Amino acid sequence: FASHVPLPTHRFPADFRWGVATSAFQIEGAADVDGKGPSIWDTFCRRPGVIADGSDGTVACEHYHRLDADLDLIASLGVDAYRFSIAWPRVRPTGAGDWNEAGLAFYDRLIDGLNARGIQPHLTLNHWDLPEALQATGGWADRATVQRFVDYALGIAARYGRRVAAITTHNEPWVMAVLGHEAGIFAPGIRDRAIAAQVAHHLLLSHGLAVRAMRAAGCSVPMGIVLNLSPTVPATDSAADRARALLEDGRLLRWYMDPLFHGRYPVDILDDLGEQAPVIEPGDLDAISVPIDFLGINYYTRSVASAGAPWVPGSSGLPLTDMGWEVHAPSLTELLLRLARDYPVPPLTITENGGAFPDACIDGRVADHDRTEYLAGHIAAVGEAMRQGVPVNGYFVWSLMDNFEWASGYAKRFGIVHVDYTTQVRTPKASAHWYRRFLQHQQALRASALGIPTGD
Ligand code: PNW
């Protein structure tokens, strides 16, 4: 069942990590099993009208109950690494206080199962599912949550720190802050720009303090944070559109990159926030700018800024994914070059890249040519940035399998493995077969460069 999409020819280094990614809430299900507490996403999904198909994460991919088979599935892809997140309310149901041994044991089995199969576990502490009990006391808007997160990170590092290859503090603080607290379309569904700005600051602060605390406790695993980044281009060359693009770039990229790598917030965005700027205490920016071992980048699309009428996706003629996101691989090269030019970055890891596309299911096979082309083009774009000197050390496809796509419910499919939500049967799509063949080809390129006969 071969795909005819050509394999990228760039030879990636031998220690480059190829992987697939998921997050706890999107795949696990078992929302109240074995002592798990509710998260803000469990609560948010019950609000009428917020999830496109009215669904929730109660069952999802039943990954919690299908762990062993899913581990074999991951191994069958031939990847080096698997990126997953821990559901904080599964291991510490109220966010503080007692730990839940049954929940902790699940992640023991996951991590040990990966290591037994020769796959590096890349652990994310926070992929958005904050314990509901902490939202009740103010959530990320409350500075006390910062210390709760540091305590949680210390517990996780103590339990798993010797058995994982990387620890990420937060996944996409922009999404949690802006979509969760300003647009209100993600949990916890708040609409208040000042609160969103304070949340973003507390997320960054808790990242820095958690990294410091875990290292002080003797954890030597590589640590970093994951940002969702895009280059922002003006819709036209007009002064107004260019000013708008600068502002949007400040809100999406510089608001996070400047404090992490320059130890200061961008002045234009502080000015733009005015009275809504966050409370920042002395020492906060020192903590946020703690050196990290890698920067994770989730890249899906470029962003187009318009000062007038909202820009219409697709009007440039670029193809769109099922999310309505433009497909434009050169923007990934451009983004990586810009980050390496403007910031003293550690090695970059592409922690998510992929797309929602239609699947054609024929005779038990799932054809997803558009996704395969998307992956091929973006992997080549990473290779091009590396050829121009950008340090990139890994690439993870989003996602291992179709899953709960947040406010879009189950209708949008990002998996390279198809999930039948009636039977829970997993079927690798053509893109999964293509990815495995690409990884085998990379191994062959390495072997031939070393003069090792591969037998093919
Ligand atoms: C990321 N946006 O979310 C997340 O890390 C994943 O959990 C998610 O499934 C994936 O991308 C695909 O959506 C994002 O609107 C959600 O800009 C929305 C945006 C960006 C990232």
Side-chain angles (χ1 to χ4, degrees), residues 22-381:
T22 62
S23 86
F25 190 80
Q26 294 177 273
I27 65 167
E28 286 180 1
D32 56 4
V33 171
D34 291 345
K36 178 180 169 292
S39 80
I40 57 173
W41 270 94
D42 290 302
T43 314
F44 183 69
C45 289
R46 285 199 289 272
R47 283 199 203 176
V50 297
I51 309 297
D53 55 5
S55 63
D56 58 38
T58 313
V59 176
C61 305
E62 278 187 3
H63 173 68
Y64 187 80
H65 296 298
R66 294 168 183 271
L67 178 61
D68 291 324
D70 285 344
L71 285 165
D72 289 339
L73 176 67
I74 297 165
S76 77
L77 298 172
V79 292
D80 308 305
Y82 175 60
R83 174 173 178 252
F84 64 96
S85 76
I86 296 207
W88 183 351
R90 191 180 292 292
V91 297
R92 212 172 188 190
T94 60
D98 287 345
W99 291 82
N100 176 31
E101 184 52 36
L104 289 163
F106 171 75
Y107 297 106
D108 282 332
R109 287 173 52 220
L110 170 58
I111 291 165
D112 293 346
L114 290 168
N115 284 319
R117 290 165 179 79
I119 301 164
Q120 300 173 354
H122 284 228
L123 181 160
T124 296
L125 290 164
N126 171 23
H127 200 121
W128 312 350
D129 45 357
L130 183 76
E132 177 60 36
L134 293 182
Q135 191 62 44
T137 58
W140 286 111
D142 180 10
R143 196 171 166 105
T145 301
V146 171
Q147 190 54 46
R148 299 289 88 77
F149 180 75
V150 173
D151 293 343
Y152 160 60
L154 280 170
I156 295 299
R159 177 92 174 201
Y160 308 115
R162 293 176 188 286
R163 292 179 278 157
V164 296
I167 295 179
T168 290
T169 52
H170 299 299
N171 181 71
E172 302 186 345
W174 178 90
V175 170
M176 279 184 280
V178 175
L179 300 189
H181 298 81
E182 185 173 331
I185 59 171
F186 279 14
I190 291 168
R191 284 177 199 225
D192 184 313
R193 187 160 183 237
I195 289 179
Q198 192 66 60
V199 164
H201 178 65
H202 286 157
L203 287 167
L204 288 169
L205 177 62
S206 63
H207 152 77
L209 291 176
V211 168
R212 262 193 197 162
M214 290 189 284
R215 288 201 184 124
C219 182
S220 57
V221 176
M223 293 175 198
I225 187 169
V226 168
L227 305 179
N228 55 299
L229 299 179
S230 297
T232 303
V233 297
T236 72
D237 207 32
S238 73
D241 283 354
R242 281 188 278 120
R244 181 73 202 181
L246 183 65
L247 179 69
E248 288 187 10
D249 179 69
R251 290 178 179 168
L252 177 70
L253 188 149
R254 290 181 287 115
W255 184 258
Y256 301 90
M257 290 296 291
D258 285 17
L260 286 167
F261 297 104
H262 291 153
R264 55 166 193 261
Y265 281 110
V267 173
D268 60 334
I269 304 303
L270 282 172
D271 284 351
D272 183 64
L273 283 164
E275 295 283 286
Q276 297 171 315
V279 176
I280 301 165
E281 294 188 6
D284 285 1
L285 282 155
D286 279 344
I288 292 170
S289 56
V290 61
I292 51 179
D293 304 296
F294 65 90
L295 171 66
I297 293 160
N298 294 348
Y299 174 83
Y300 289 94
T301 187
R302 64 172 191 164
S303 154
V304 182
S306 163
W311 184 79
V312 181
S315 55
S316 61
L318 291 174
L320 302 179
T321 72
D322 280 353
M323 299 296 283
W325 298 349
E326 283 187 330
V327 177
H328 194 239
S331 286
L332 175 53
T333 309
E334 186 193 315
L335 171 69
L336 296 172
L337 289 169
R338 185 263 180 110
L339 294 175
R341 186 186 67 225
D342 288 359
Y343 299 94
V345 289
L348 306 176
T349 309
I350 309 303
T351 36
E352 290 180 21
N353 178 239
F357 291 102
D359 297 327
C361 302
I362 311 148
D363 297 340
R365 290 172 171 181
V366 188
D368 60 341
H369 181 78
D370 293 348
R371 177 177 293 102
T372 309
E373 288 232 293
Y374 180 101
L375 297 177
H378 287 75
I379 289 170

